[in-house]
Amino acid sequence: MKNFMLLIIFVLPLISMAQSYGDCISGDCENGYGTWHSHKKISFTNNVGDVIEFSETEYTGTFKTGKFNGLGTKDFYYKEGDDILSFTYTGRFLNGLVNGHFEEVKSGPYGDFWRFVGEFKDGRRNGIGVLYEGVRGFIQEKGIVGYWVNDKFIKEVAKF
């Protein structure tokens, strides 16, 4: 759970930062609906010393003044060792940041899966959320309900 929280704290701010490194591949990515894609590699080191390198990013949804704004889906792909993993965010963006009710899914090889559904504000988890565990590539109907403030896990409300 702790590694999950640390990864999320450092992934969400990159949603906004990565937007300036790509190209519109279809539609209107300035003020309308379109698909934006980037092959630009973005690397950073988290606070436990792990290097995360996003190798590909794609957003499909609405744009306002060139920023992700409105309903959309954002996919991040990155390497962890020799494995390629992905994060998918689906929900509402505001000025390039995750805002409102969102679904977030992490997937990778060898059963490295989980799903989070909850509230975000200014690109950070804020409010109640449900974290579903993943086992062998399938998201289970068990997990926790918890409370987050500024991306910090504050309290477990219930297990199911």
Side-chain angles (χ1 to χ4, degrees):
M1 182 73 162
K2 184 177 181 181
N3 288 339
F4 163 75
M5 295 301 161
L6 291 174
L7 186 58
I8 295 307
I9 289 169
F10 293 98
V11 169
L12 290 176
L14 291 175
I15 291 173
S16 178
M17 182 179 85
Q19 188 173 341
S20 60
Y21 295 106
D23 297 309
C24 188
I25 59 173
S26 70
D28 181 355
C29 299
E30 186 61 32
N31 287 298
Y33 184 88
T35 298
W36 171 94
H37 189 89
S38 174
H39 286 289
K40 171 101 173 142
K41 291 186 181 188
I42 302 169
S43 297
F44 75 99
T45 303
N46 65 20
N47 68 344
V48 295
D50 297 327
V51 175
I52 308 292
E53 181 179 87
F54 292 98
S55 58
E56 192 172 338
T57 337
E58 185 168 294
Y59 170 83
T60 300
T62 55
F63 293 81
K64 184 176 179 183
T65 61
K67 293 184 178 181
F68 311 145
N69 206 81
L71 294 178
T73 297
K74 177 90 170 163
D75 294 306
F76 280 101
Y77 300 93
Y78 71 100
K79 287 184 78 173
E80 192 172 273
D82 291 332
D83 300 325
I84 300 291
L85 296 106
S86 71
F87 281 95
T88 300
Y89 297 87
T90 304
R92 183 167 298 281
F93 291 79
L94 180 64
N95 294 319
L97 296 174
V98 177
N99 269 285
H101 185 76
F102 251 83
E103 177 184 52
E104 170 185 29
V105 178
K106 178 185 178 191
S107 61
Y110 316 113
D112 189 13
F113 290 77
W114 49 257
R115 180 175 148 224
F116 175 83
V117 178
E119 296 298 314
F120 287 80
K121 182 178 179 192
D122 299 328
R124 297 174 173 224
R125 289 181 182 197
N126 274 294
I128 295 286
V130 179
L131 177 63
Y132 297 88
E133 300 172 6
V135 176
R136 289 187 212 85
F138 296 97
I139 295 175
Q140 306 297 302
E141 292 302 321
K142 64 179 185 174
I144 65 164
V145 177
Y147 190 74
W148 283 260
V149 174
N150 290 324
D151 265 347
K152 293 181 183 168
F153 182 70
I154 302 297
K155 182 179 182 179
E156 182 179 295
V157 176
K159 282 188 175 183
F160 58 93

